[in-house]
């Protein structure tokens, strides 16, 4: 049977690889296959778990389907499948027979090949509209606004006509002089994008019609490529005089002015009412940074940010913010702070995000320091230009609240308020990315980027927690050390996503992220454990927290799915959802399990607890349980005094073991001249949770008064094992 599965798996991979015929196709196929495996494993495991619990643990009389319907995950699964069914029927598919629809769809979805098909059809119908020819070539080569590293486009597809062949055929078949010039210009554009610059220049000079739109545009780009700035500017200005749209030319004019540090010329573009609307705000920020002109710089910066804000992106970012805001409220089991001050902290974190932009621009415009300069340069930039800057602006609002208010009164407040500042920063940053072309990244950034921002800011705050509450040392060295560590974490994470050489190992960013969730959970856990207002009955319902996180994150994913269906059609939405179920479910698995494993033990300082399947028991389920203690065996010390009843009221650590529970008798237990109001219970099976109904054997430990329990370092001589009893 095992051999059969291996052969079938090999056939699936091989068949998929043959059909893909490229690395990108093979990668897409394996992602789909991985998603399929994840979906079937999740559904199968869930069904088997329900059947097992129904047959072995359920003592009611409900039929299986009613029993299963009581679980939120079952309802969520049914809702998801119903939503997919309704969406498949309700949402229309885009009309790919309309070239305008192809262009619009291709631009929204960042699919240059599809846009190229649309522009090619438009160029066929309108051969003398040069904008269509230009956009066709640009989209075919996935250059300019598409980006040069788009692996979704290839010019080697034997089933697809290359633009160069298209224009060569047009040149060979046409006797019309004007149409031949169109063909020559098309060939020159192709050669330019294939870096055959000299050949492209020769072809442009061969054209009979010197007035042809885009001819001077490309002559200018060729001159700029050779470093001939004045010649390039002359060609761009000539193109403007011919009436070519400023939208194409102004960015290139501004770039040449910037390369020559000609601030006056950039100012002229801004002052021209016809050219200014087409000037990218990037160049305004450059000018105002150079001139140290703060007010217009801030206006340009805010306008640049607002231009990226879309309705769907705003809703997605707000949804992500709400998911993690409620999560932080739920882990705050002391509930001392109303929501308004915490919302204000989010707002401060969001406002602080804007203060990062001047730092970025100063590094780029004044120090000429930015990404894309090489392996080690990018690594240093990620640490300093991203990590240090972002962690600095995120921690400042927290430090202001810490210094000038009394809202932060315990260890948990440090982590929550630092996380809220990071959450506000992530919200503002997410709005930069959640445009219509990037709807499919909403759930990924809510799941990963937002959590990592909260973790990194909390790392700095946790340094202060350790200094004040554990080691009782001066906080400044701890603050600085934690800040540097946070910047290193942040920069190292971004490096694997930014640098072209390192991006082949982008999975390391996911490894770092999963490790960060372990650390973040320990920050929350230790801060809870060592809060001064801790009470014995203080517990956190880990199952409820896990259910909340899972449902909330799936809802974000479904929101993304519905938006994709609405904007791009159901086929794109279904494909995106299916592919997201692979890696998305894998990462969601770790996020939910790690961040919901908050094992509250008063006074405990946990180290790094890597996730495993053996030690995730919720021992705190014992707290609040009403138990009856009966003799474990005849003739034992307590045999003649049992049965007795009582309640588990607290959990504590004794001799490196945190699985001791304080048990209060309903009536004091009389042992000779002594009366016992409390004893400690500990399960004989180290992995078992103390609860009634399982005939569990537990150890009974007595102690010397309450003082023995209140000592920070409990002494072994104050505690004595008395007997074993059975819990009923």
């Amino acid at each position: 049977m095992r051999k059969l599965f291996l052969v079938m798996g090999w056939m699936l991979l091989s068949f998929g690889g043959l059909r893909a015929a490229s690395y990108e196709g093979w990668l897409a196929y394996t992602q789909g296959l991985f998603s399929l495996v994840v979906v079937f494993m999740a559904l199968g495991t869930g069904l088997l778990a329900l059947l097992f619990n129904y047959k072995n643990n359920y003592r009611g009389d409900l039929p299986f389907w009613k029993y299963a319907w009581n679980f939120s995950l079952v309802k969520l699964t049914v809702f998801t499948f119903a939503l997919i069914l309704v969406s498949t029927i309700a949402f229309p598919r885009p009309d790919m027979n309309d070239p305008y629809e192809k262009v619009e769809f291709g631009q929204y979805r960042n699919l240059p090949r599809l846009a190229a098909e649309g522009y090619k059809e438009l160029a066929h119908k309108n051969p003398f509209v040069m904008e269509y020819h230009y956009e066709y070539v640009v989209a075919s080569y996935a250059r300019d606004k598409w980006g040069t590293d788009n692996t979704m486009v290839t010019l080697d597809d034997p089933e697809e006509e290359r633009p160069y062949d298209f224009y060569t055929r047009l040149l060979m078949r046409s006797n019309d002089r004007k149409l031949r010039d169109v063909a020559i210009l098309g060939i020159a554009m192709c050669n330019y994008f294939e870096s055959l610059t000299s050949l492209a220049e020769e072809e442009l000079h061969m054209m009979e019609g010197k007035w042809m739109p885009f001819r001077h545009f490309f002559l200018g780009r060729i001159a700029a490529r050779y470093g001939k700035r004045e010649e390039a500017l002359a060609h761009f200005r000539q193109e403007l005089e011919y009436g070519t749209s400023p939208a194409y030319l102004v960015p290139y004019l501004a770039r040449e002015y910037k390369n020559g540090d000609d601030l006056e010329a950039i100012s002229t573009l801004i002052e021209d009412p016809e050219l200014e609307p087409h000037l990218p705000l990037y160049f305004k920020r450059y000018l105002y940074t150079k001139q140290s002109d703060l007010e217009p710089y801030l206006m340009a910066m805010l306008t640049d940010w607002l231009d990226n804000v879309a309705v769907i992106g705003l809703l997605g970012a707000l949804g992500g913010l709400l998911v993690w805001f409620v999560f932080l409220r739920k882990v705050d089991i002391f509930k001392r702070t109303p929501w308004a001050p915490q919302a204000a902290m989010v707002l401060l974190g969001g406002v602080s995000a804007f203060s990062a932009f001047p730092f970025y621009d100063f590094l780029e415009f004044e120090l000429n320091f930015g990404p894309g300069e090489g392996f080690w340069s990018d690594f240093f930039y990620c640490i300093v230009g991203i990590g240090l800057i972002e962690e600095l602006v995120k921690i400042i609002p927290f430090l202001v609240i810490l210094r000038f208010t009394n809202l932060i009164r315990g260890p948990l407040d440090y982590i929550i308020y630092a996380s809220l500042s990071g959450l506000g920063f992530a919200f503002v940053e997410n709005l930069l990315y959640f445009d219509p072309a990037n709807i499919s990244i909403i759930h990924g950034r809510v799941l990963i980027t937002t959590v990592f921002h909260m973790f990194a800011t909390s790392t700095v705050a946790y340094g202060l927690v350790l200094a004040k509450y554990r080691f009782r040392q001066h906080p400044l060295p701890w603050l600085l050390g934690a800040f540097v560590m946070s910047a290193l974490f942040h920069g190292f994470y971004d490096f694997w996503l930014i640098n072209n050489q390192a991006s082949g190992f982008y999975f390391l960013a996911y490894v770092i992220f999963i490790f960060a969730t372990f650390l973040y959970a320990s920050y929350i856990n230790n801060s809870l454990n060592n809060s001064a207002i801790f009470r014995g009955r203080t517990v956190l319902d880990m199952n409820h927290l896990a259910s909340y996180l899972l449902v909330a994150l799936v809802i974000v994913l479904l929101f993304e799915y519905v938006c994709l269906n609405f904007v791009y059609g159901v086929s794109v939405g279904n494909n995106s959802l299916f592919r997201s179920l692979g890696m998305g479910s894998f990462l969601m698995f770790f996020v939910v399990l790690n961040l919901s494993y908050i094992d509250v033990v008063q006074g405990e300082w946990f180290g790094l607890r890597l996730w495993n399947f053996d030690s995730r028991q919720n021992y705190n389920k014992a707290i609040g349980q009403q138990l009856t203690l009966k003799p474990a065996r005849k003739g034992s010390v307590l045999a003649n005094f049992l049965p007795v009843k009582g309640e588990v009221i607290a959990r504590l650590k004794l001799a490196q073991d945190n699985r001791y529970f304080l048990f209060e008798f309903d009536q004091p237990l009389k042992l000779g001249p002594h009366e016992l109001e409390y004893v400690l219970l500990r399960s004989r099976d180290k992995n078992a949770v103390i609860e009634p109904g399982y005939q569990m054997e537990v150890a009974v430990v007595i102690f010397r008064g309450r003082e023995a329990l209140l000592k920070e370092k409990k002494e072994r001589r104050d505690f004595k094992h008395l007997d074993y009893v059975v819990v009923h």
Side-chain angles (χ1 to χ4, degrees):
M1 181 64 71
R2 184 171 60 181
K3 291 182 179 180
L4 177 62
F5 279 117
L6 288 173
V7 171
M8 290 176 63
W10 177 83
M11 290 176 64
L12 281 171
L13 288 173
S14 300
F15 178 69
L18 289 171
R19 291 193 61 188
S22 68
Y23 172 74
E24 291 78 19
W26 179 84
L27 184 61
Y29 174 79
T30 53
Q31 287 176 339
L33 186 62
F34 181 62
S35 295
L36 186 65
V37 171
V38 168
V39 170
F40 276 107
M41 285 185 62
L43 292 175
T45 303
L47 180 60
L48 290 174
L50 282 173
L51 286 170
F52 178 84
N53 286 326
Y54 180 74
K55 292 181 178 180
N56 296 279
N57 299 325
Y58 179 60
R59 296 180 176 85
D61 55 358
L62 290 176
F64 174 72
W65 69 271
K66 286 187 177 181
Y67 165 80
W69 188 248
N70 291 324
F71 292 87
S72 58
L73 289 182
V74 174
K75 295 176 182 177
L76 183 63
T77 302
V78 173
F79 174 77
T80 300
F81 279 107
L83 182 64
I84 293 172
L85 179 62
V86 171
S87 298
T88 302
I89 298 172
F91 287 104
R93 291 169 171 79
D95 180 12
M96 289 297 109
N97 293 318
D98 182 353
Y100 292 102
E101 189 90 7
K102 285 184 180 180
V103 168
E104 183 180 11
F105 189 81
Q107 290 176 336
Y108 267 135
R109 284 290 296 140
N110 198 22
L111 299 172
R113 177 182 294 181
L114 185 61
E117 291 179 9
Y119 280 120
K120 182 180 178 181
E121 292 176 21
L122 291 172
H124 265 300
K125 296 177 181 178
N126 307 275
F128 298 114
V129 180
M130 293 309 300
E131 285 83 356
Y132 293 151
H133 292 280
Y134 171 73
E135 295 288 1
Y136 164 51
V137 175
V138 165
S140 297
Y141 284 91
R143 298 292 178 94
D144 288 7
K145 58 189 175 185
W146 301 105
T148 58
D149 59 344
N150 195 312
T151 57
M152 299 176 68
V153 175
T154 174
L155 296 179
D156 299 323
D157 189 341
E159 298 180 1
E160 182 179 353
E161 183 180 42
R162 300 169 70 246
Y164 183 89
D165 297 331
F166 169 74
Y167 288 109
T168 301
R169 180 167 49 84
L170 181 63
L171 179 64
M172 298 293 289
R173 295 181 179 179
S174 176
N175 294 319
D176 182 82
R177 180 183 62 82
K178 188 176 179 181
L179 199 57
R180 287 176 62 84
D181 277 346
V182 171
I184 293 172
L185 179 58
I187 292 171
M189 289 190 291
C190 293
N191 285 329
Y192 173 84
F193 284 126
E194 292 184 9
S195 298
L196 301 173
T197 311
S198 299
L199 186 57
E201 186 175 19
E202 291 177 13
E203 289 157 346
L204 290 170
H205 286 298
M206 285 170 51
M207 295 172 59
E208 294 184 38
K210 308 303 181 183
W211 54 267
M212 180 73 71
F214 289 92
R215 176 177 175 271
H216 279 284
F217 179 46
F218 272 90
L219 284 171
R221 293 177 68 166
I222 289 170
R225 184 175 283 182
Y226 286 138
K228 301 175 182 179
R229 193 171 69 86
E230 291 302 324
E231 183 180 336
L233 289 171
H235 282 298
F236 293 147
R237 294 186 186 113
Q238 185 69 53
E239 189 73 47
L240 273 176
E241 291 180 10
Y242 284 152
T244 300
S245 172
Y248 295 107
L249 293 159
V250 170
Y252 286 91
L253 279 168
R255 187 177 68 179
E256 293 307 310
Y257 292 147
K258 176 182 177 294
N259 291 340
D261 204 22
D262 192 342
L263 303 183
E264 185 177 348
I266 298 177
S267 297
T268 303
L269 291 177
I270 294 175
E271 293 167 2
D272 190 317
E274 293 184 4
L275 302 183
E276 187 273 338
H278 307 290
L279 180 68
L281 289 163
Y282 167 86
F283 295 104
K284 292 185 179 181
R285 286 164 39 202
Y286 167 77
L287 174 67
Y288 300 137
T289 299
K290 285 289 190 179
Q291 294 178 336
S292 301
D293 202 344
L294 182 60
E295 184 177 349
Y297 172 84
L298 293 177
M299 289 299 299
M301 179 190 71
L302 289 173
T303 304
D304 200 3
W305 178 77
L306 287 171
D307 285 347
N308 287 279
V309 177
V311 174
I312 290 176
L314 178 62
L315 293 175
L318 282 172
L321 186 152
L322 185 62
V323 167
W324 295 111
F325 184 83
V326 173
F327 167 79
L328 292 170
R329 295 282 296 172
K330 285 183 176 293
V331 298
D332 184 11
I333 54 180
F334 304 124
K335 297 293 187 292
R336 295 188 305 167
T337 306
W339 67 269
Q342 294 182 346
M345 187 74 245
V346 174
L347 180 62
L348 285 176
V351 171
S352 75
F354 293 101
S355 63
F357 293 106
F359 285 105
Y360 301 146
D361 290 345
F362 178 81
L363 288 178
E364 181 180 357
F365 301 147
E366 297 290 353
L367 302 181
N368 197 28
F369 181 43
E373 299 297 327
F375 186 87
W376 290 110
S377 176
D378 282 358
F379 181 80
F380 189 60
Y381 176 79
C382 287
I383 300 297
V384 176
I386 298 178
L388 281 176
I389 289 175
E390 294 192 1
E391 295 316 315
L392 176 64
V393 302
K394 286 192 294 178
I395 201 62
I396 286 176
F398 166 81
L399 294 176
V400 170
I401 294 296
L402 178 64
R403 176 65 179 82
F404 296 105
T405 74
N406 64 347
L407 291 172
I408 301 175
R409 293 171 287 173
L412 186 62
D413 295 328
Y414 281 76
I415 304 303
I416 287 180
Y417 276 89
S419 298
L420 291 169
S421 180
L423 183 59
F425 183 98
F427 170 76
V428 171
E429 186 181 68
N430 283 339
L431 286 174
L432 286 173
Y433 294 94
F434 291 171
D435 55 59
N438 290 297
I439 295 175
S440 59
I441 68 171
I442 289 177
H443 82 282
R445 289 193 64 86
V446 169
L447 176 66
I448 301 173
T449 310
T450 303
V451 174
F452 200 87
H453 273 302
M454 294 194 299
F455 153 75
T457 313
S458 297
T459 298
V460 185
Y462 190 64
L464 295 175
V465 170
L466 291 176
K468 182 175 182 179
Y469 295 97
R470 186 172 189 184
F471 298 104
R472 293 176 172 80
Q473 297 176 354
H474 195 280
L476 185 58
W478 286 89
L479 175 65
L480 294 177
F483 174 70
V484 171
M485 181 179 293
S486 175
L488 288 171
F489 266 122
H490 194 146
F492 196 61
Y493 169 81
D494 282 350
F495 174 69
W496 303 102
L497 303 174
I498 289 176
N499 180 261
N500 288 332
Q501 295 170 267
S503 61
F505 301 92
Y506 70 92
F507 65 89
L508 290 177
Y510 295 136
V511 173
I512 296 168
F513 169 71
I514 292 172
F515 179 74
T517 61
F518 292 126
L519 284 176
Y520 189 40
S522 70
Y523 298 167
I524 297 172
N525 208 151
N526 289 337
S527 300
L528 266 173
N529 292 347
N530 292 277
S531 296
I533 60 172
F534 194 104
R535 296 293 181 267
R537 298 177 187 271
T538 301
V539 293
L540 178 67
D541 190 337
M542 293 192 292
N543 292 331
H544 176 74
L545 187 63
S547 296
Y548 162 75
L549 271 181
L550 183 60
V551 171
L553 291 173
V554 169
I555 288 175
V556 171
L557 178 61
L558 294 178
F559 169 79
E560 173 188 297
Y561 166 70
V562 171
C563 291
L564 284 170
N565 286 338
F566 178 75
V567 176
Y568 308 124
V570 69
S571 60
V572 172
N574 286 342
N575 181 62
S576 179
L577 177 65
F578 182 68
R579 293 181 64 179
S580 298
L581 289 175
M583 183 56 70
S585 298
F586 179 75
L587 292 174
M588 196 182 299
F589 172 82
F590 279 99
V591 168
V592 171
L593 287 180
N594 289 345
L595 296 187
S596 64
Y597 185 46
I598 310 296
D599 192 19
V600 182
V601 186
Q602 187 170 6
E604 178 75 288
W605 289 97
F606 289 111
L608 180 62
R609 297 172 298 165
L610 295 179
W611 194 88
N612 60 73
F613 287 96
D614 300 323
S615 60
R616 297 183 68 87
Q617 290 284 12
N618 184 9
Y619 295 107
N620 286 334
K621 285 171 61 178
I623 297 176
Q625 295 280 3
Q626 298 287 334
L627 305 178
T628 299
L629 306 184
K630 295 185 178 181
R633 58 192 57 85
K634 294 181 179 180
S636 64
V637 174
L638 293 175
N640 295 329
F641 303 94
L642 302 179
V644 293
K645 295 183 178 181
E647 181 184 359
V648 177
I649 60 173
R651 179 183 174 192
L652 53 87
K653 181 179 179 180
L654 181 62
Q656 305 305 314
D657 189 338
N658 60 30
R659 291 172 294 111
Y660 284 87
F661 291 87
L662 185 63
F663 181 78
E664 181 181 20
F665 294 108
D666 287 349
Q667 298 293 331
L669 184 65
K670 294 183 179 181
L671 294 178
H674 303 287
E675 286 190 352
L676 294 178
E677 295 183 63
Y678 305 93
V679 294
L680 297 180
L681 303 180
R682 179 187 177 280
S683 171
R684 199 161 193 173
D685 180 356
K686 67 177 183 177
N687 291 320
V689 177
I690 297 177
E691 52 186 331
Y694 294 96
Q695 304 294 308
M696 183 181 300
E697 192 169 332
V698 300
V700 178
V701 177
I702 58 176
F703 50 89
R704 301 187 186 206
R706 295 186 178 182
E707 295 76 13
L709 293 178
L710 296 175
K711 290 180 181 179
E712 186 172 344
K713 292 186 178 179
K714 297 176 176 56
E715 300 180 22
R716 187 179 295 273
R717 64 184 181 181
D718 292 334
F719 299 86
K720 180 182 179 181
H721 175 264
L722 183 62
D723 199 359
Y724 285 102
V725 299
V726 173
V727 173
H728 284 261

